[in-house]
PDB file of all heavy atoms in Angstrom:
ATOM      1  N   ILE A  32     -19.293 -22.283   1.915  1.00  0.00           N
ATOM      2  CA  ILE A  32     -18.594 -21.672   3.057  1.00  0.00           C
ATOM      3  C   ILE A  32     -18.995 -22.458   4.305  1.00  0.00           C
ATOM      4  O   ILE A  32     -20.141 -22.400   4.751  1.00  0.00           O
ATOM      5  CB  ILE A  32     -18.956 -20.180   3.216  1.00  0.00           C
ATOM      6  CG1 ILE A  32     -18.722 -19.425   1.896  1.00  0.00           C
ATOM      7  CG2 ILE A  32     -18.123 -19.552   4.338  1.00  0.00           C
ATOM      8  CD1 ILE A  32     -19.279 -17.992   1.891  1.00  0.00           C
ATOM      9  N   ALA A  33     -18.034 -23.199   4.845  1.00  0.00           N
ATOM     10  CA  ALA A  33     -18.329 -24.100   5.963  1.00  0.00           C
ATOM     11  C   ALA A  33     -17.980 -23.468   7.299  1.00  0.00           C
ATOM     12  O   ALA A  33     -18.464 -23.927   8.344  1.00  0.00           O
ATOM     13  CB  ALA A  33     -17.547 -25.404   5.781  1.00  0.00           C
ATOM     14  N   ALA A  34     -17.116 -22.443   7.300  1.00  0.00           N
ATOM     15  CA  ALA A  34     -16.688 -21.854   8.565  1.00  0.00           C
ATOM     16  C   ALA A  34     -16.138 -20.455   8.340  1.00  0.00           C
ATOM     17  O   ALA A  34     -15.563 -20.161   7.287  1.00  0.00           O
ATOM     18  CB  ALA A  34     -15.591 -22.714   9.200  1.00  0.00           C
ATOM     19  N   VAL A  35     -16.325 -19.614   9.364  1.00  0.00           N
ATOM     20  CA  VAL A  35     -15.672 -18.308   9.406  1.00  0.00           C
ATOM     21  C   VAL A  35     -14.814 -18.313  10.661  1.00  0.00           C
ATOM     22  O   VAL A  35     -15.296 -18.652  11.751  1.00  0.00           O
ATOM     23  CB  VAL A  35     -16.717 -17.172   9.447  1.00  0.00           C
ATOM     24  CG1 VAL A  35     -16.058 -15.833   9.749  1.00  0.00           C
ATOM     25  CG2 VAL A  35     -17.465 -17.100   8.113  1.00  0.00           C
ATOM     26  N   VAL A  36     -13.534 -18.002  10.510  1.00  0.00           N
ATOM     27  CA  VAL A  36     -12.636 -17.973  11.666  1.00  0.00           C
ATOM     28  C   VAL A  36     -12.131 -16.551  11.831  1.00  0.00           C
ATOM     29  O   VAL A  36     -11.579 -15.966  10.892  1.00  0.00           O
ATOM     30  CB  VAL A  36     -11.442 -18.938  11.486  1.00  0.00           C
ATOM     31  CG1 VAL A  36     -10.575 -18.926  12.740  1.00  0.00           C
ATOM     32  CG2 VAL A  36     -11.918 -20.356  11.176  1.00  0.00           C
ATOM     33  N   SER A  37     -12.329 -16.000  13.021  1.00  0.00           N
ATOM     34  CA  SER A  37     -11.931 -14.627  13.279  1.00  0.00           C
ATOM     35  C   SER A  37     -10.770 -14.586  14.264  1.00  0.00           C
ATOM     36  O   SER A  37     -10.720 -15.367  15.213  1.00  0.00           O
ATOM     37  CB  SER A  37     -13.117 -13.859  13.862  1.00  0.00           C
ATOM     38  OG  SER A  37     -12.715 -12.560  14.240  1.00  0.00           O
ATOM     39  N   SER A  38      -9.864 -13.624  14.044  1.00  0.00           N
ATOM     40  CA  SER A  38      -8.756 -13.459  14.990  1.00  0.00           C
ATOM     41  C   SER A  38      -9.179 -12.578  16.159  1.00  0.00           C
ATOM     42  O   SER A  38      -8.392 -12.353  17.072  1.00  0.00           O
ATOM     43  CB  SER A  38      -7.548 -12.842  14.284  1.00  0.00           C
ATOM     44  OG  SER A  38      -7.881 -11.548  13.831  1.00  0.00           O
ATOM     45  N   SER A  39     -10.418 -12.064  16.094  1.00  0.00           N
ATOM     46  CA  SER A  39     -10.893 -11.212  17.187  1.00  0.00           C
ATOM     47  C   SER A  39     -12.336 -11.566  17.517  1.00  0.00           C
ATOM     48  O   SER A  39     -13.156 -11.749  16.616  1.00  0.00           O
ATOM     49  CB  SER A  39     -10.816  -9.747  16.754  1.00  0.00           C
ATOM     50  OG  SER A  39     -11.786  -8.983  17.448  1.00  0.00           O
ATOM     51  N   PRO A  40     -12.656 -11.644  18.816  1.00  0.00           N
ATOM     52  CA  PRO A  40     -14.040 -11.977  19.179  1.00  0.00           C
ATOM     53  C   PRO A  40     -15.016 -10.860  18.825  1.00  0.00           C
ATOM     54  O   PRO A  40     -16.217 -11.089  18.757  1.00  0.00           O
ATOM     55  CB  PRO A  40     -13.970 -12.181  20.703  1.00  0.00           C
ATOM     56  CG  PRO A  40     -12.722 -11.499  21.143  1.00  0.00           C
ATOM     57  CD  PRO A  40     -11.781 -11.474  19.980  1.00  0.00           C
ATOM     58  N   ASP A  41     -14.500  -9.644  18.597  1.00  0.00           N
ATOM     59  CA  ASP A  41     -15.380  -8.491  18.358  1.00  0.00           C
ATOM     60  C   ASP A  41     -15.615  -8.189  16.879  1.00  0.00           C
ATOM     61  O   ASP A  41     -16.286  -7.210  16.559  1.00  0.00           O
ATOM     62  CB  ASP A  41     -14.762  -7.227  18.989  1.00  0.00           C
ATOM     63  CG  ASP A  41     -14.447  -7.449  20.459  1.00  0.00           C
ATOM     64  OD1 ASP A  41     -15.270  -8.093  21.128  1.00  0.00           O
ATOM     65  OD2 ASP A  41     -13.384  -6.991  20.917  1.00  0.00           O
ATOM     66  N   ALA A  42     -15.049  -8.994  15.999  1.00  0.00           N
ATOM     67  CA  ALA A  42     -15.154  -8.678  14.564  1.00  0.00           C
ATOM     68  C   ALA A  42     -16.621  -8.708  14.127  1.00  0.00           C
ATOM     69  O   ALA A  42     -17.335  -9.688  14.384  1.00  0.00           O
ATOM     70  CB  ALA A  42     -14.338  -9.676  13.751  1.00  0.00           C
ATOM     71  N   TYR A  43     -17.031  -7.667  13.419  1.00  0.00           N
ATOM     72  CA  TYR A  43     -18.414  -7.629  12.919  1.00  0.00           C
ATOM     73  C   TYR A  43     -18.651  -8.772  11.928  1.00  0.00           C
ATOM     74  O   TYR A  43     -19.784  -9.249  11.764  1.00  0.00           O
ATOM     75  CB  TYR A  43     -18.710  -6.263  12.280  1.00  0.00           C
ATOM     76  CG  TYR A  43     -20.128  -6.155  11.793  1.00  0.00           C
ATOM     77  CD1 TYR A  43     -21.203  -6.214  12.682  1.00  0.00           C
ATOM     78  CD2 TYR A  43     -20.412  -6.040  10.427  1.00  0.00           C
ATOM     79  CE1 TYR A  43     -22.509  -6.149  12.234  1.00  0.00           C
ATOM     80  CE2 TYR A  43     -21.726  -5.974   9.971  1.00  0.00           C
ATOM     81  CZ  TYR A  43     -22.763  -6.024  10.881  1.00  0.00           C
ATOM     82  OH  TYR A  43     -24.063  -5.973  10.431  1.00  0.00           O
ATOM     83  N   ALA A  44     -17.580  -9.228  11.310  1.00  0.00           N
ATOM     84  CA  ALA A  44     -17.688 -10.345  10.369  1.00  0.00           C
ATOM     85  C   ALA A  44     -18.358 -11.561  11.021  1.00  0.00           C
ATOM     86  O   ALA A  44     -19.076 -12.315  10.355  1.00  0.00           O
ATOM     87  CB  ALA A  44     -16.299 -10.718   9.852  1.00  0.00           C
ATOM     88  N   LEU A  45     -18.152 -11.756  12.310  1.00  0.00           N
ATOM     89  CA  LEU A  45     -18.773 -12.907  12.993  1.00  0.00           C
ATOM     90  C   LEU A  45     -20.296 -12.776  12.995  1.00  0.00           C
ATOM     91  O   LEU A  45     -21.015 -13.775  12.899  1.00  0.00           O
ATOM     92  CB  LEU A  45     -18.248 -13.026  14.428  1.00  0.00           C
ATOM     93  CG  LEU A  45     -16.825 -13.575  14.567  1.00  0.00           C
ATOM     94  CD1 LEU A  45     -16.339 -13.437  16.012  1.00  0.00           C
ATOM     95  CD2 LEU A  45     -16.748 -15.042  14.117  1.00  0.00           C
ATOM     96  N   GLU A  46     -20.774 -11.538  13.110  1.00  0.00           N
ATOM     97  CA  GLU A  46     -22.238 -11.328  13.060  1.00  0.00           C
ATOM     98  C   GLU A  46     -22.768 -11.640  11.665  1.00  0.00           C
ATOM     99  O   GLU A  46     -23.851 -12.202  11.502  1.00  0.00           O
ATOM    100  CB  GLU A  46     -22.591  -9.893  13.435  1.00  0.00           C
ATOM    101  CG  GLU A  46     -22.441  -9.650  14.925  1.00  0.00           C
ATOM    102  CD  GLU A  46     -22.878  -8.254  15.332  1.00  0.00           C
ATOM    103  OE1 GLU A  46     -23.873  -7.736  14.791  1.00  0.00           O
ATOM    104  OE2 GLU A  46     -22.193  -7.680  16.194  1.00  0.00           O
ATOM    105  N   ARG A  47     -21.999 -11.252  10.662  1.00  0.00           N
ATOM    106  CA  ARG A  47     -22.418 -11.554   9.277  1.00  0.00           C
ATOM    107  C   ARG A  47     -22.519 -13.077   9.099  1.00  0.00           C
ATOM    108  O   ARG A  47     -23.457 -13.565   8.464  1.00  0.00           O
ATOM    109  CB  ARG A  47     -21.407 -10.992   8.273  1.00  0.00           C
ATOM    110  CG  ARG A  47     -21.297  -9.474   8.266  1.00  0.00           C
ATOM    111  CD  ARG A  47     -20.277  -9.076   7.192  1.00  0.00           C
ATOM    112  NE  ARG A  47     -19.890  -7.692   7.232  1.00  0.00           N
ATOM    113  CZ  ARG A  47     -20.517  -6.697   6.580  1.00  0.00           C
ATOM    114  NH1 ARG A  47     -21.574  -6.952   5.851  1.00  0.00           N
ATOM    115  NH2 ARG A  47     -20.078  -5.457   6.655  1.00  0.00           N
ATOM    116  N   ALA A  48     -21.535 -13.809   9.655  1.00  0.00           N
ATOM    117  CA  ALA A  48     -21.553 -15.273   9.535  1.00  0.00           C
ATOM    118  C   ALA A  48     -22.792 -15.834  10.224  1.00  0.00           C
ATOM    119  O   ALA A  48     -23.508 -16.676   9.667  1.00  0.00           O
ATOM    120  CB  ALA A  48     -20.281 -15.858  10.155  1.00  0.00           C
ATOM    121  N   GLU A  49     -23.046 -15.343  11.431  1.00  0.00           N
ATOM    122  CA  GLU A  49     -24.185 -15.862  12.198  1.00  0.00           C
ATOM    123  C   GLU A  49     -25.497 -15.639  11.438  1.00  0.00           C
ATOM    124  O   GLU A  49     -26.323 -16.545  11.327  1.00  0.00           O
ATOM    125  CB  GLU A  49     -24.231 -15.177  13.563  1.00  0.00           C
ATOM    126  CG  GLU A  49     -25.092 -15.954  14.548  1.00  0.00           C
ATOM    127  CD  GLU A  49     -25.216 -15.248  15.887  1.00  0.00           C
ATOM    128  OE1 GLU A  49     -24.322 -14.433  16.229  1.00  0.00           O
ATOM    129  OE2 GLU A  49     -26.213 -15.503  16.573  1.00  0.00           O
TER     130      GLU A  49
END
Side-chain angles (χ1 to χ4, degrees):
I32 307 170
V35 170
V36 183
S37 174
S38 63
S39 153
D41 306 320
Y43 182 64
L45 285 171
E46 286 184 38
R47 295 181 191 271
E49 198 183 336

